[in-house]
Amino acid sequence: KSLNVVENVSLPLVIEGMKSDEAEKHAKKTLADLGISDFAKQMPTQLSGGQQQKVGLARALVSNPWILMADEPTGNLDSKSGNEIMEIFRQLNHEHKRTILMVTHNEQYFDFGTRKVQMKDGEIIKDSKNG
């Protein structure tokens, strides 16, 4: 059986042992926090790339992690959707004190970080902690 969005987002909590109805309640709150409650009953395949990315972010956030690792979170998105994802990251970091480790090739987002490490050919060429 394929999972709709709210079932998909609640899955990590169910795996952790939470009852399905309680997990779905947490999932719905996370979807609401990200402004995507309207997608709850849809199938992920019915959503745009940006909407799917937000659903994936909701699934990552539903268990309230202190550290979030994001590999090219805006890679396949248009600039509007990418900026929305980056604004969510900014809020998570500034307002909710979450640590976000993000890998990106998009230099437009480089200044979002509080510590920036730039690499080239596998070598660190710039680290904001080291000047």
Side-chain angles (χ1 to χ4, degrees), residues 4-6 8-9 30-31 34 36 39-40 44 47-61 85:
N4 67 26
V5 167
V6 74
N8 192 301
V9 172
T30 303
L31 292 170
L34 294 176
I36 56 174
F39 308 149
L47 305 176
S48 72
Q51 293 166 337
Q52 288 179 7
Q53 197 78 334
K54 286 181 183 177
V55 169
L57 182 56
R59 188 179 51 240
L61 295 174
I85 295 292

Side-chain angles (χ1 to χ4, degrees), residues 6-125:
V6 74
E7 292 166 336
N8 192 301
V9 172
S10 68
L11 190 58
L13 298 176
V14 172
I15 291 170
E16 290 175 6
M18 188 179 286
K19 293 184 179 182
S20 293
D21 57 340
E22 187 69 18
E24 286 190 14
K25 188 162 65 168
H26 283 280
K28 287 176 182 176
K29 181 185 181 323
T30 303
L31 292 170
D33 290 347
L34 294 176
I36 56 174
S37 294
D38 294 347
F39 308 149
K41 296 296 179 191
Q42 293 185 20
M43 301 305 285
T45 55
Q46 297 173 306
L47 305 176
S48 72
Q51 293 166 337
Q52 288 179 7
Q53 197 78 334
K54 286 181 183 177
V55 169
L57 182 56
R59 188 179 51 240
L61 295 174
V62 74
S63 57
N64 202 22
W66 284 102
I67 299 172
L68 184 65
M69 290 187 255
D71 183 9
E72 295 287 354
T74 62
N76 295 319
L77 304 180
D78 60 53
S79 58
K80 180 181 182 288
S81 297
N83 289 338
E84 289 172 354
I85 295 292
M86 293 305 297
E87 185 53 37
I88 292 167
F89 284 169
R90 184 190 307 274
Q91 288 176 344
L92 287 168
N93 181 251
H94 292 278
E95 296 171 23
H96 301 283
K97 306 301 182 207
R98 298 302 185 245
T99 297
I100 300 168
L101 175 63
M102 183 178 83
V103 175
T104 185
H105 287 90
N106 189 334
E107 291 183 27
Q108 173 185 347
Y109 300 131
F110 201 65
D111 290 332
F112 276 73
T114 53
R115 179 176 181 183
K116 300 157 212 120
V117 178
Q118 193 171 3
M119 298 182 75
K120 183 175 181 178
D121 299 327
E123 300 289 325
I124 294 174
I125 59 172

